[in-house]
Amino acid sequence: MAHSSSSADATFSALERYMQNYFELRKTDYDYGEWFESLYFDLCEFTGRKGKRIRPMLLITGFQTFGGDRPATDPAVLQSAMAMELLHSFILMHDDVIDRSELRRAQPTFHKLAQRRLEPFESSQRHGESIAIVAGDMMFTMAMEAMLDTDFPAELRIKAQKMFLKYAADTGAGEIYDIVLGSRDVSRVTAKEIEEMYYLKTTRYTFEAPCVMGALLAGASEAKIEAIRNFVRPLGLAFQIDNDLLEFRYIDKEMVGFPTDLLEGKKTMLVHETFESLNDVDRSFFQMCLGSERKTESTLVKIYDLIRRSGSLDRLALKTRELFEQSERQLESGDFTEVEAATLRKAIQGVKSQIKVGA
C-alpha cells in the first residue's frame, strides 16, 4: 500500500531510533577491552551518520507492498531493515580502503578514524586500514545476526539469511570485477562487462536485495519475486549511469576537483562510451591519460574536455531514460497489481529525489 510523506518520515525516525538502541544494547557483546571501546564507538558513529537509508526503507516498502501483515515500525521489520544498513556499512568500510578514500558522508572514513586512534605510532596508516578491514568483517557478522535474530517464522528467516549471504557474495564479486576492469586498458573493456559489474556491485544489493527480501519476509510467491528482479535490473543500471553523469556534471560545474573513479582509472560506462566515440588521435591520447598512474591536473582537464566533446554525456543520458522506461514497462506488464506498481513507482521516485551529487 502507498504511504504518505508523514508516514514515511515516521518510519524513517523509528528506524534511526532502533539502530541507536540496537548498538547500545549490543555494547556488552563487544566488550574486548578498553581500546576496543573507542573502536565500537566509531562503529556506532560511522553507521549512524546521517544518510538516505535507501536500502532499509526499500526493504520496508517491499514487505508492506507484497503482503506483510506487520506495521512498518514492528521490531522484526525494523531489525531486518537495519540489517541492510549494516551490510551497507560493511561494504563502505572495505570499499573506502580499496579506493583510498578519506571522507565518507563529509566525515573521516573508518580507516582514517582508526588511524587517528593509533597515532602517533609508526605505520598508523597501514594499521588503520587493517583494523577497518577486520572491523568491517565484524560489522558483517552483526548484519547477519540482525537478519536472523527476529521473530519471523523460522522458514522465512532461514530463506532470508541464505538470500542475504548470496547478495553479499555477489557484491563482493562486483567489487573484484571493478578492480580487475580498472587494471585493464580501456580498449580491452566491453560495455557488457561494465554493465555486469554495475549489476553485481550496485544493483543487486542496493535495489534488488531490499525489495526482494522485504517481499520474501512478507511471504510473496517466487513468481512475484522474479517479477521484482525483472523490474529492478534495468532500474539499477539506469541509476548507476545516471549517478556517473551527475557526479561528472556537478564537479565540472562547481570546479571542486576530480572524481576518484577517474583518478583511479576505473572503467565506468562514461569512460567506455567516450573512448568508443573519439577519433583515432583523441582516442590514443585518452587511452594514454587513463593508463597513467600519476595524473596531473592538466591531464585530467584534457580528459574532461574529451568527455565533453565526445557526445557521450548526451548519449548516456538518453540510455538512462530508455532504461527507466524499460523498468516502467516491467511495472505495467501485469506481473504486479495496480497498487503494487503504484507503490514501487512512488518508492523509486523517492530514491531519485534523494540522489543529488554534492548534497
Side-chain angles (χ1 to χ4, degrees):
M1 57 182 292
H3 299 279
S4 66
S5 176
S6 59
S7 176
D9 290 343
T11 301
F12 187 95
S13 297
L15 175 66
E16 293 293 305
R17 289 193 300 271
Y18 192 90
M19 289 174 58
Q20 292 172 9
N21 292 336
Y22 186 83
F23 272 104
E24 183 63 30
L25 291 171
R26 297 302 309 279
K27 188 192 305 184
T28 55
D29 295 336
Y30 293 87
D31 184 10
Y32 297 113
E34 183 178 349
W35 197 89
F36 199 87
E37 185 177 342
S38 60
L39 193 69
Y40 187 76
F41 173 82
D42 289 341
L43 283 170
C44 301
E45 184 276 327
F46 184 81
T47 302
R49 290 176 185 176
K50 184 178 180 181
K52 306 177 189 74
R53 311 296 187 221
I54 290 171
R55 296 155 191 84
M57 293 301 287
L58 283 179
L59 185 143
I60 293 170
T61 296
F63 178 78
Q64 295 201 300
T65 302
F66 295 101
D69 58 359
R70 305 182 187 213
T73 54
D74 180 87
V77 177
L78 290 176
Q79 185 159 312
S80 299
M82 180 190 69
M84 294 304 308
E85 191 66 21
L86 297 181
L87 176 67
H88 185 45
S89 289
F90 149 70
I91 290 169
L92 293 181
M93 290 164 73
H94 283 191
D95 201 43
D96 287 339
V97 172
I98 293 169
D99 291 341
R100 292 177 285 181
S101 302
E102 296 192 0
L103 294 175
R104 173 63 63 181
R105 292 173 178 166
Q107 297 183 65
T109 50
F110 193 86
H111 61 277
K112 287 298 178 183
L113 292 175
Q115 180 181 334
R116 291 180 182 183
R117 298 285 185 190
L118 291 164
E119 290 174 346
F121 298 116
E122 293 183 11
S123 304
S124 59
Q125 179 177 340
R126 182 173 67 84
H127 290 317
E129 292 172 353
S130 299
I131 288 172
I133 291 170
V134 179
D137 294 339
M138 296 177 77
M139 180 70 78
F140 180 58
T141 66
M142 291 176 70
M144 289 195 296
E145 187 174 8
M147 180 58 67
L148 190 60
D149 189 23
T150 67
D151 65 353
F152 280 115
E155 180 183 355
L156 290 180
R157 281 188 284 120
I158 292 170
K159 286 177 68 175
Q161 183 80 336
K162 288 182 177 179
M163 194 169 289
F164 190 77
L165 290 170
K166 175 59 177 170
Y167 283 124
D170 285 352
T171 305
E175 186 70 72
I176 292 172
Y177 218 153
D178 193 17
I179 295 167
V180 170
L181 294 182
S183 70
R184 289 187 197 166
D185 185 86
V186 64
S187 63
R188 297 179 53 243
V189 177
T190 67
K192 184 177 180 181
E193 289 175 318
I194 297 172
E195 287 188 12
E196 184 65 14
M197 180 266 290
Y198 282 170
Y199 175 62
L200 291 171
K201 184 179 176 181
T202 303
T203 301
R204 288 279 280 170
Y205 102 96
T206 299
F207 296 102
E208 184 179 319
C211 289
V212 164
M213 293 185 68
L216 187 152
L217 290 170
S221 67
E222 287 297 325
K224 194 69 73 172
I225 287 174
E226 186 61 27
I228 295 171
R229 291 193 179 105
N230 293 335
F231 154 68
V232 161
R233 180 145 193 165
L235 181 73
L237 179 56
F239 266 106
Q240 183 58 56
I241 296 174
D242 202 38
N243 188 67
D244 292 342
L245 300 181
L246 280 170
E247 183 178 55
F248 178 90
R249 284 177 169 140
Y250 171 77
I251 291 175
D252 191 35
K253 178 182 177 182
E254 301 295 328
M255 301 296 288
V256 292
F258 301 98
T260 303
D261 285 354
L262 274 184
L263 293 171
E264 295 293 321
K266 291 193 174 185
K267 306 308 181 294
T268 64
M269 197 63 75
L270 180 57
V271 166
H272 176 271
E273 181 68 22
T274 298
F275 177 76
E276 292 294 317
S277 305
L278 296 172
N279 60 44
D280 289 343
V281 174
D282 285 341
R283 181 181 291 182
S284 295
F285 186 78
F286 189 69
Q287 194 172 0
M288 180 186 68
C289 291
L290 287 175
S292 173
E293 289 192 9
R294 292 190 176 183
K295 298 177 178 66
T296 65
E297 183 173 344
S298 60
T299 299
L300 287 164
V301 168
K302 180 63 175 177
I303 290 175
Y304 264 47
D305 184 55
L306 290 172
I307 290 173
R308 291 189 209 96
R309 290 197 287 111
S310 70
S312 56
L313 292 167
D314 290 338
R315 283 191 296 278
L316 287 177
L318 176 61
K319 183 177 178 67
T320 61
R321 288 196 294 273
E322 292 171 346
L323 287 165
F324 279 126
E325 289 170 1
Q326 183 182 338
S327 183
E328 177 65 26
R329 288 195 295 273
Q330 289 292 337
L331 277 182
E332 299 173 349
S333 65
D335 294 326
F336 300 105
T337 66
E338 287 187 13
V339 173
E340 289 168 351
T343 305
L344 289 174
R345 188 178 293 111
K346 183 177 180 181
I348 296 307
Q349 286 299 326
V351 173
K352 277 186 180 181
S353 68
Q354 291 185 72
I355 298 179
K356 298 177 182 177
V357 175

